[in-house]
Amino acid sequence: MIIKPSVKSLNKATVDVPEKVALIGFDNTSISKEVSPTLTSVAQPIGKIVKQSIQIIIDKINQKQKTKNKKQRRNI
């Protein structure tokens, strides 16, 4: 969301974008096409990142539970 004001400020200061300053977005929003010149933007696979993160957390919880169960069985 800061890209549009950044480009405006650079243009106002007569800094050539992208000749002197290169700006890249990392959220692939439509705003990257609304500024002049249009900007490069990288899409982040948010859904995939969330699914993998949740799976990692579940795996960690399950691993802790397995370790806890093994310790309990040894103490019996």
Side-chain angles (χ1 to χ4, degrees):
M1 297 297 263
I2 65 168
I3 201 72
K4 199 169 187 176
S6 298
V7 172
K8 283 184 177 184
S9 294
L10 289 166
N11 287 336
K12 187 176 181 179
T14 65
V15 176
D16 292 328
V17 178
E19 290 79 13
K20 297 288 182 184
V21 176
L23 300 170
I24 300 174
F26 285 95
D27 54 2
N28 204 28
T29 60
S30 61
I31 202 161
S32 63
K33 294 172 185 67
E34 295 173 12
V35 294
S36 180
T38 56
L39 301 172
T40 299
S41 188
V42 179
Q44 301 296 322
I46 300 300
K48 187 174 181 178
I49 292 170
V50 170
K51 285 180 185 178
Q52 288 177 338
S53 298
I54 291 170
Q55 189 59 54
I56 289 169
I57 292 168
I58 290 169
D59 292 346
K60 294 280 186 185
I61 291 169
N62 288 339
Q63 186 60 40
K64 282 186 177 184
Q65 189 61 41
K66 287 178 186 177
T67 302
K68 184 179 177 181
N69 289 342
K70 283 181 184 178
K71 287 180 181 178
Q72 287 176 346
R73 280 187 260 147
R74 279 190 232 146
N75 293 333
I76 296 179

